[in-house]
Amino acid sequence: MSYQTDLPPASFPQPSPRQRARARAAHSIEALRELAARTLPRAIFDFYDGGAETESTLRGNREAIDRLRLLPRYLVDVSHPDTGTQLLGRPAAMPLAVAPTGAIGYGWPFGDVAIARAAGDAGVPYALPTSSTSSIERVAREAPHTRLWFQSYMLRKRDFTFGLISRAHAAGYEALIITIDMPTGGKRERDLRNDFGLPFRFTPRNVLDFGRRPGWVVRQLRAGLPALENMAGFVPDAVDASTIASSVGKNYDPAFVWEDLARIRDAWPRKLLIKGVLHPEDARRAAQLGADGVIVSNHGGRQLDGAVAALDALPGVAHAVGGRIPVFVDGGVRRGTDIVKALALGAGGVLVGRPMLYGVSVAGQAGAERALFLFREELIRTLKLTGVARVQDIDATVLHAVEKKGSHPS
């Protein structure tokens, strides 16, 4: 296997004063999303924003959150709310980690580094994906003060996959995330409509689309087209990132089973998280196998359309593991109130992906920082308004009604 561990310094583009001002003026994640839609070509925005097929699961993640209502208590001293918590046994400034999201460099050159640095400044972990546009080694070098987790898919080329995991260990990543919900890729119809396929081919439709965003085009040309740096050598004769990405997409391993996961557990000496868990029995088996946590996730609605909403699956998973290991959840988290609802249903923390893509696409690291600022500011406000002095005191009593969704036979 051939890869470059000593990559040359990159030219990280800095946001302009106008871009910074636009990010500061965004008072919600939805406002950052709207700015991103006006900043990116439609094909890139839809690739980040979209889901599989009819997008019913994408919508369902938000609907599940919105169904829950908070039941506040008052006359409680909330003058100094504490958002601090423990994530995988180490302090975090809030119960949030940045989820692994691929191809960030198409939104902002070396956006993986920008988000990692923002996460470090905010005191939360950052999960680097296999399909990042900055390598394992580059992110470790450029964001040395950030708690780094590495997310790996299971590819048919097992030696290559284990090579990535070994690189993450050598670079000091504290946790490994194994994503189990991709035996094949989901059908993302927005991408098909936008002629945004892999391997990528220029068509009149997408050329016109890109041409409508000259600022994005200039930024990309100055930095150079993004490369999937972790995947160098995966396809020896590949000439561009698109060809590599297409090959990776065709090489997810549908034969990956529990025994294979056990071998990874034996080989990885640090914290291990299993991502893509929806069924309680899978969570129970992960705990028995020795995982250090599970992430309740339907891949942001990008895989199986019609799958249960992540928040609806959360109570059943939390009950199945019975407090033996922490449970995290992702999918549709956009507000501080969403974090409180997730914790009230049994989560130890949330992961956020698309909000960081929106932020970094608008203003690089400054936009990513804005997204994390909004989550923390809204979380503090929610603690005060619900009468909870500390994040660690959140429980089901802050909810008006805990719906018994997603509870499979135990």
Side-chain angles (χ1 to χ4, degrees), residues 211-229:
R212 292 191 179 106
R213 296 290 185 266
W216 176 86
V217 171
V218 170
R219 187 163 61 243
Q220 292 293 332
L221 290 176
R222 284 177 177 171
L225 293 177
L228 300 183
E229 292 185 344

Side-chain angles (χ1 to χ4, degrees), residues 51-396:
E53 299 182 5
T54 67
E55 301 189 343
S56 66
T57 296
L58 175 66
R59 293 189 300 273
N61 282 338
R62 270 307 319 167
E63 291 165 357
I65 295 171
D66 289 339
R67 279 198 303 270
L68 292 174
R69 290 290 180 265
L70 298 169
L71 186 65
R73 299 290 302 274
Y74 297 118
L75 299 178
V76 177
D77 184 357
V78 289
S79 55
H80 298 93
D82 182 4
T83 64
T85 190
Q86 295 278 319
L87 296 180
L88 295 185
R90 292 182 57 186
M94 55 180 163
L96 178 150
V98 177
T101 52
I104 296 174
Y106 288 94
W108 189 273
F110 298 102
D112 320 79
V113 171
I115 296 178
R117 288 173 172 173
D121 290 345
V124 299
Y126 169 71
L128 180 76
T130 293
S131 55
S132 63
T133 48
S134 298
S135 73
I136 292 166
E137 294 79 14
R138 187 188 295 280
V139 172
R141 184 183 69 194
E142 299 293 345
H145 304 300
T146 302
R147 293 178 58 186
L148 296 176
W149 301 351
F150 177 66
Q151 174 270 337
S152 179
Y153 295 119
M154 292 312 300
L155 305 172
R156 289 174 179 167
K157 294 186 177 183
R158 296 287 179 91
D159 289 346
F160 195 94
T161 301
F162 277 91
L164 291 172
I165 293 172
S166 295
R167 289 168 58 186
H169 180 266
Y173 283 63
E174 73 170 59
L176 173 66
I177 300 171
I178 297 295
T179 296
I180 63 172
D181 62 0
M182 285 196 72
T184 188
K187 184 186 179 188
R188 296 161 197 167
E189 295 177 8
R190 288 204 216 183
D191 297 344
L192 298 176
R193 290 194 295 269
N194 292 329
D195 288 348
F196 190 73
L198 294 173
F200 179 78
R201 294 181 177 85
F202 284 106
T203 69
R205 179 181 298 171
N206 60 45
V207 167
L208 181 61
D209 177 29
F210 296 158
R212 292 191 179 106
R213 296 290 185 266
W216 176 86
V217 171
V218 170
R219 187 163 61 243
Q220 292 293 332
L221 290 176
R222 284 177 177 171
L225 293 177
L228 300 183
E229 292 185 344
N230 288 330
M231 305 308 294
F234 185 79
V235 183
D237 58 349
V239 295
D240 57 33
S242 171
T243 302
I244 295 174
S246 175
S247 299
V248 171
K250 296 173 182 176
N251 275 276
Y252 297 129
D253 190 352
F256 183 68
V257 295
W258 285 102
E259 290 76 14
D260 301 313
L261 186 58
R263 284 191 281 273
I264 293 175
R265 171 68 287 181
D266 292 340
W268 177 260
R270 299 173 186 159
K271 299 293 186 180
L272 176 67
L273 294 169
I274 311 303
K275 183 177 183 290
V277 174
L278 292 173
H279 198 293
E281 184 56 31
D282 287 345
R284 186 180 290 110
R285 289 195 67 173
Q288 292 171 345
L289 180 141
D292 297 292
V294 295
I295 302 171
V296 179
S297 173
N298 52 37
H299 218 101
R302 294 170 67 82
Q303 283 298 100
L304 174 63
D305 194 33
V308 61
L311 207 69
D312 285 342
L314 172 60
V317 169
H319 177 73
V321 302
R324 287 174 290 170
I325 57 174
V327 176
F328 303 92
V329 66
D330 72 13
V333 176
R334 299 291 183 271
R335 295 279 186 180
T337 49
D338 302 344
I339 299 173
V340 170
K341 290 175 182 180
L343 268 59
L345 288 178
V350 303
L351 277 73
V352 296
R354 287 184 177 95
M356 306 308 299
L357 292 174
Y358 303 146
V360 80
S361 297
V362 168
Q365 183 175 337
E369 290 170 349
R370 182 62 180 175
L372 291 170
F373 169 83
L374 288 169
F375 277 118
R376 188 169 189 276
E377 189 273 336
E378 291 184 1
L379 178 58
I380 290 171
R381 189 181 302 275
T382 304
L383 291 177
K384 289 182 175 181
L385 290 173
T386 52
V388 179
R390 303 186 312 157
V391 154
Q392 297 184 55
D393 294 333
I394 295 171
D395 59 25

